[in-house]
Short mmCIF file of all heavy atoms in Angstrom, two decimals:
data_model
loop_
_atom_site.label_atom_id
_atom_site.label_comp_id
_atom_site.label_asym_id
_atom_site.label_seq_id
_atom_site.Cartn_x
_atom_site.Cartn_y
_atom_site.Cartn_z
N THR A 1 0.84 -1.19 0.00
CA THR A 1 0.00 0.00 0.00
C THR A 1 0.88 1.24 0.00
O THR A 1 1.96 1.24 0.58
CB THR A 1 -0.93 0.00 1.23
OG1 THR A 1 -0.14 -0.03 2.41
CG2 THR A 1 -1.86 -1.21 1.21
N PRO A 2 0.43 2.34 -0.65
CA PRO A 2 1.31 3.50 -0.83
C PRO A 2 1.72 4.20 0.47
O PRO A 2 2.90 4.56 0.63
CB PRO A 2 0.52 4.44 -1.72
CG PRO A 2 -0.84 3.88 -1.85
CD PRO A 2 -0.83 2.48 -1.34
N VAL A 3 0.81 4.40 1.42
CA VAL A 3 1.16 5.09 2.67
C VAL A 3 2.09 4.22 3.50
O VAL A 3 3.09 4.70 4.06
CB VAL A 3 -0.11 5.48 3.46
CG1 VAL A 3 0.24 6.01 4.84
CG2 VAL A 3 -0.93 6.50 2.69
N ALA A 4 1.80 2.93 3.57
CA ALA A 4 2.66 2.02 4.32
C ALA A 4 4.05 1.96 3.70
O ALA A 4 5.06 1.96 4.41
CB ALA A 4 2.04 0.63 4.37
N ALA A 5 4.12 1.93 2.37
CA ALA A 5 5.42 1.90 1.70
C ALA A 5 6.19 3.20 1.95
O ALA A 5 7.41 3.17 2.16
CB ALA A 5 5.23 1.67 0.20
N LEU A 6 5.49 4.35 1.95
CA LEU A 6 6.14 5.62 2.24
C LEU A 6 6.71 5.64 3.65
O LEU A 6 7.85 6.04 3.86
CB LEU A 6 5.15 6.77 2.05
CG LEU A 6 5.61 8.15 2.53
CD1 LEU A 6 6.85 8.59 1.79
CD2 LEU A 6 4.50 9.16 2.38
N LEU A 7 5.94 5.19 4.63
CA LEU A 7 6.42 5.15 6.02
C LEU A 7 7.60 4.20 6.17
O LEU A 7 8.55 4.48 6.91
CB LEU A 7 5.28 4.77 6.96
CG LEU A 7 4.21 5.85 7.15
CD1 LEU A 7 2.96 5.27 7.80
CD2 LEU A 7 4.77 7.01 7.98
N GLN A 8 7.54 3.12 5.43
CA GLN A 8 8.65 2.16 5.48
C GLN A 8 9.92 2.77 4.87
O GLN A 8 11.01 2.60 5.41
CB GLN A 8 8.25 0.89 4.74
CG GLN A 8 9.25 -0.22 4.81
CD GLN A 8 8.78 -1.44 4.05
OE1 GLN A 8 8.14 -1.33 3.02
NE2 GLN A 8 9.10 -2.60 4.58
N ARG A 9 9.78 3.46 3.77
CA ARG A 9 10.94 4.12 3.15
C ARG A 9 11.50 5.21 4.06
O ARG A 9 12.72 5.38 4.17
CB ARG A 9 10.55 4.72 1.79
CG ARG A 9 10.33 3.69 0.70
CD ARG A 9 10.25 4.32 -0.68
NE ARG A 9 9.38 5.49 -0.77
CZ ARG A 9 8.08 5.47 -1.08
NH1 ARG A 9 7.48 4.31 -1.32
NH2 ARG A 9 7.38 6.60 -1.15
N ALA A 10 10.62 5.96 4.73
CA ALA A 10 11.07 6.99 5.66
C ALA A 10 11.84 6.36 6.83
O ALA A 10 12.87 6.88 7.27
CB ALA A 10 9.88 7.79 6.17
N HIS A 11 11.35 5.25 7.30
CA HIS A 11 12.04 4.51 8.37
C HIS A 11 13.43 4.10 7.92
O HIS A 11 14.43 4.29 8.64
CB HIS A 11 11.20 3.29 8.77
CG HIS A 11 11.84 2.41 9.79
ND1 HIS A 11 12.52 1.27 9.46
CD2 HIS A 11 11.91 2.53 11.14
CE1 HIS A 11 12.98 0.71 10.56
NE2 HIS A 11 12.63 1.45 11.59
N HIS A 12 13.52 3.56 6.72
CA HIS A 12 14.82 3.12 6.19
C HIS A 12 15.75 4.32 5.99
O HIS A 12 16.96 4.22 6.24
CB HIS A 12 14.63 2.34 4.89
CG HIS A 12 15.90 1.78 4.36
ND1 HIS A 12 16.56 0.74 4.96
CD2 HIS A 12 16.66 2.15 3.30
CE1 HIS A 12 17.66 0.48 4.29
NE2 HIS A 12 17.74 1.32 3.27
N ARG A 13 15.20 5.44 5.54
CA ARG A 13 16.02 6.64 5.35
C ARG A 13 16.62 7.09 6.67
O ARG A 13 17.80 7.46 6.75
CB ARG A 13 15.22 7.77 4.74
CG ARG A 13 16.06 9.04 4.59
CD ARG A 13 15.39 10.08 3.75
NE ARG A 13 15.29 9.74 2.36
CZ ARG A 13 16.25 9.95 1.45
NH1 ARG A 13 17.40 10.46 1.83
NH2 ARG A 13 16.07 9.64 0.20
N LEU A 14 15.84 7.04 7.76
CA LEU A 14 16.37 7.43 9.07
C LEU A 14 17.42 6.43 9.56
O LEU A 14 18.39 6.82 10.20
CB LEU A 14 15.24 7.57 10.10
CG LEU A 14 14.30 8.75 9.90
CD1 LEU A 14 13.30 8.81 11.05
CD2 LEU A 14 15.05 10.05 9.79
N LEU A 15 17.21 5.16 9.25
CA LEU A 15 18.19 4.15 9.65
C LEU A 15 19.53 4.37 8.95
O LEU A 15 20.59 4.26 9.57
CB LEU A 15 17.69 2.75 9.30
CG LEU A 15 16.81 2.04 10.30
CD1 LEU A 15 16.33 0.72 9.73
CD2 LEU A 15 17.52 1.82 11.61
N THR A 16 19.48 4.67 7.68
CA THR A 16 20.72 4.78 6.91
C THR A 16 21.29 6.19 6.90
O THR A 16 22.51 6.36 6.88
CB THR A 16 20.49 4.33 5.45
OG1 THR A 16 19.44 5.11 4.88
CG2 THR A 16 20.14 2.85 5.41
N GLY A 17 20.44 7.22 6.90
CA GLY A 17 20.91 8.59 6.79
C GLY A 17 21.07 9.31 8.11
O GLY A 17 21.66 10.38 8.17
N GLY A 18 20.48 8.77 9.16
CA GLY A 18 20.58 9.39 10.47
C GLY A 18 19.31 10.14 10.86
O GLY A 18 18.52 10.54 10.02
N TRP A 19 19.14 10.30 12.16
CA TRP A 19 17.97 10.97 12.75
C TRP A 19 18.44 12.25 13.43
O TRP A 19 19.55 12.30 13.97
CB TRP A 19 17.31 10.04 13.76
CG TRP A 19 16.24 10.70 14.55
CD1 TRP A 19 14.94 10.82 14.22
CD2 TRP A 19 16.39 11.33 15.84
NE1 TRP A 19 14.25 11.49 15.20
CE2 TRP A 19 15.12 11.82 16.21
CE3 TRP A 19 17.45 11.55 16.69
CZ2 TRP A 19 14.90 12.50 17.39
CZ3 TRP A 19 17.23 12.22 17.87
CH2 TRP A 19 15.96 12.69 18.22
N CYS A 20 17.60 13.27 13.39
CA CYS A 20 17.92 14.51 14.10
C CYS A 20 16.65 15.06 14.72
O CYS A 20 15.54 14.62 14.42
CB CYS A 20 18.55 15.54 13.17
SG CYS A 20 17.40 16.29 12.00
N SER A 21 16.81 16.06 15.59
CA SER A 21 15.66 16.75 16.16
C SER A 21 15.92 18.24 16.03
O SER A 21 17.06 18.69 15.92
CB SER A 21 15.45 16.37 17.63
OG SER A 21 16.53 16.83 18.41
N GLY A 22 14.82 19.01 15.99
CA GLY A 22 14.95 20.46 15.92
C GLY A 22 15.02 21.02 14.52
O GLY A 22 15.03 22.23 14.35
N ALA A 23 15.07 20.17 13.50
CA ALA A 23 15.14 20.63 12.11
C ALA A 23 14.66 19.51 11.21
O ALA A 23 14.72 18.33 11.58
CB ALA A 23 16.56 21.02 11.74
N LEU A 24 14.16 19.87 10.03
CA LEU A 24 13.78 18.84 9.06
C LEU A 24 15.03 18.08 8.60
O LEU A 24 14.99 16.86 8.47
CB LEU A 24 13.06 19.45 7.86
CG LEU A 24 11.64 19.95 8.09
CD1 LEU A 24 11.10 20.63 6.85
CD2 LEU A 24 10.74 18.81 8.51
N VAL A 25 16.10 18.83 8.34
CA VAL A 25 17.37 18.24 7.92
C VAL A 25 18.47 19.02 8.63
O VAL A 25 18.47 20.25 8.62
CB VAL A 25 17.57 18.35 6.39
CG1 VAL A 25 18.88 17.71 5.97
CG2 VAL A 25 16.41 17.74 5.64
N ASP A 26 19.42 18.30 9.27
CA ASP A 26 20.52 19.02 9.92
C ASP A 26 21.70 19.18 8.96
O ASP A 26 21.64 18.74 7.80
CB ASP A 26 20.92 18.36 11.24
CG ASP A 26 21.62 17.03 11.07
OD1 ASP A 26 21.83 16.57 9.92
OD2 ASP A 26 21.98 16.43 12.10
N GLN A 27 22.79 19.79 9.42
CA GLN A 27 23.94 20.07 8.56
C GLN A 27 24.63 18.80 8.07
O GLN A 27 25.32 18.82 7.05
CB GLN A 27 24.95 21.00 9.26
CG GLN A 27 25.62 20.41 10.47
CD GLN A 27 24.80 20.60 11.76
OE1 GLN A 27 23.65 21.01 11.72
NE2 GLN A 27 25.41 20.26 12.87
N ASP A 28 24.45 17.67 8.78
CA ASP A 28 25.06 16.41 8.36
C ASP A 28 24.18 15.61 7.42
O ASP A 28 24.57 14.54 6.96
CB ASP A 28 25.39 15.56 9.59
CG ASP A 28 26.40 16.22 10.51
OD1 ASP A 28 27.26 16.96 9.98
OD2 ASP A 28 26.33 16.00 11.72
N GLY A 29 22.97 16.08 7.18
CA GLY A 29 22.05 15.37 6.29
C GLY A 29 21.08 14.45 7.01
O GLY A 29 20.25 13.81 6.39
N ALA A 30 21.18 14.37 8.34
CA ALA A 30 20.24 13.56 9.11
C ALA A 30 18.88 14.26 9.09
O ALA A 30 18.79 15.48 8.97
CB ALA A 30 20.74 13.40 10.54
N ARG A 31 17.81 13.49 9.19
CA ARG A 31 16.47 14.04 9.07
C ARG A 31 15.63 13.69 10.30
O ARG A 31 15.88 12.71 10.97
CB ARG A 31 15.78 13.50 7.83
CG ARG A 31 16.52 13.84 6.56
CD ARG A 31 15.86 13.28 5.33
NE ARG A 31 16.67 13.49 4.16
CZ ARG A 31 16.78 14.64 3.50
NH1 ARG A 31 16.12 15.68 3.91
NH2 ARG A 31 17.56 14.74 2.44
N CYS A 32 14.60 14.50 10.52
CA CYS A 32 13.61 14.17 11.55
C CYS A 32 12.55 13.28 10.89
O CYS A 32 12.62 12.99 9.69
CB CYS A 32 12.99 15.44 12.13
SG CYS A 32 11.87 16.27 11.00
#
């Protein structure tokens, strides 16, 4: 399903690219 696939891709992006707080994207490329 499209929403489930989007949430799954977002989860994988945070796993591989890093997580941050306080910004959509930090200076290192990590995302909220």
Side-chain angles (χ1 to χ4, degrees):
T1 59
V3 172
L6 170 61
L7 288 166
Q8 185 180 35
R9 288 192 313 269
H11 177 261
H12 184 71
R13 178 169 290 276
L14 290 184
L15 274 176
T16 57
W19 171 87
C20 72
S21 66
L24 287 175
V25 181
D26 70 0
Q27 66 274 10
D28 297 329
R31 300 179 186 283
C32 72

